[in-house]
Amino acid sequence: MASRNRRAALTSGFAALFAVTGLGLGAVPAQADPPPNPVCNPDRDYLWQDVVTARVEPTVTDFLAVAIAPGTTGQYTKTLSEVDSVSTTVNNSVEVTADFKALFVKVSAKVGFSVSNTKSSTRTTTVTDTVNFNSPGYYGLYRGTRKVTGEWVQYICARSGPGTGYWIRTDPGTPGTFVTFDVPEQGTVSCAWPEPSGTLRAAARLRLFC
């Protein structure tokens, strides 16, 4: 059973590795695209937004270290402690309006997975996990996510005449900022085996100080 659990954990870890390191664990190379046309119609065009950079960082939000002594294996339900949190913000504000839904669609396309596009946080009242420990050892129960931070630009359509206008960047030289996150993940890591570098599982295992 321990061998099966180890193989399953490694498979999960490698899947996370490909999901994250496909982005190089850093800023996604990107140049903000200007609006597709230099002119616009203010009667129907309003905003044009684009992502400049997007950085993915595995973040453990809840964690509990568990030491299982010989003879004490079995099923346990444990309550995790909050160690960090991630909230969706735009320009450091948690008030994410409908105007930014299109921006987060572009963020999702940039990083390759769906991110939160509403006012939301990883914080919950209680995070619990029920685990069946089959062998003694030092384990970490975790919950976390892939935090995404970056910069974005915005243009508005300025009227120049009846039905005509031109795009004006609202933040010349100073891109806006955003923070969002992937769907939270919950699981177990152990000192008995390593996890792929750069994954959420590896970040959780580091907290065990193996």
Side-chain angles (χ1 to χ4, degrees):
M1 176 65 72
S3 177
R4 258 200 320 272
N5 288 342
R6 182 176 182 275
R7 285 196 299 270
L10 287 174
T11 300
S12 172
F14 278 116
L17 173 67
F18 284 118
V20 177
T21 56
L23 302 175
L25 275 182
V28 176
Q31 185 68 35
D33 293 327
N37 297 302
V39 296
C40 54
N41 184 342
D43 296 329
R44 68 168 188 269
D45 300 324
Y46 174 48
L47 290 175
W48 173 266
Q49 299 164 333
D50 197 47
V51 179
V52 182
T53 61
R55 182 177 180 84
V56 180
E57 177 187 358
T59 302
V60 177
T61 58
D62 302 88
F63 187 80
L64 180 68
V66 180
I68 302 297
T72 62
T73 59
Q75 188 175 80
Y76 299 85
T77 297
K78 300 287 186 179
T79 300
L80 283 64
S81 299
E82 183 183 43
V83 294
D84 202 349
S85 66
V86 184
S87 298
T88 304
T89 66
V90 176
N91 296 342
N92 297 319
S93 172
V94 297
E95 298 303 321
V96 179
T97 66
D99 285 344
F100 298 111
K101 286 187 179 294
L103 170 66
F104 286 117
V105 168
K106 291 189 175 183
V107 173
S108 296
K110 189 75 71 178
V111 298
F113 55 85
S114 296
V115 300
S116 177
N117 62 3
T118 60
K119 179 180 179 180
S120 56
S121 172
T122 59
R123 283 188 164 162
T124 57
T125 303
T126 304
V127 177
T128 60
D129 198 1
T130 300
V131 185
N132 187 31
F133 295 106
N134 296 306
S135 59
Y138 196 37
Y139 298 87
L141 311 184
Y142 74 91
R143 181 175 183 264
T145 186
R146 288 184 287 183
K147 178 181 179 181
V148 184
T149 59
E151 298 179 317
W152 64 286
V153 295
Q154 176 174 277
Y155 294 78
I156 60 171
C157 184
R159 184 180 297 275
S160 59
T164 62
Y166 54 93
W167 292 107
I168 296 179
R169 184 169 160 175
T170 60
D171 52 355
T174 309
T177 61
F178 66 82
V179 177
T180 184
F181 56 92
D182 191 8
V183 175
E185 169 192 320
Q186 192 162 325
T188 307
V189 291
S190 170
C191 277
W193 60 81
E195 300 292 347
S197 177
T199 65
L200 179 57
R201 296 182 64 83
R205 187 177 183 274
L206 284 174
R207 290 183 171 271
L208 290 175
F209 299 101
C210 298

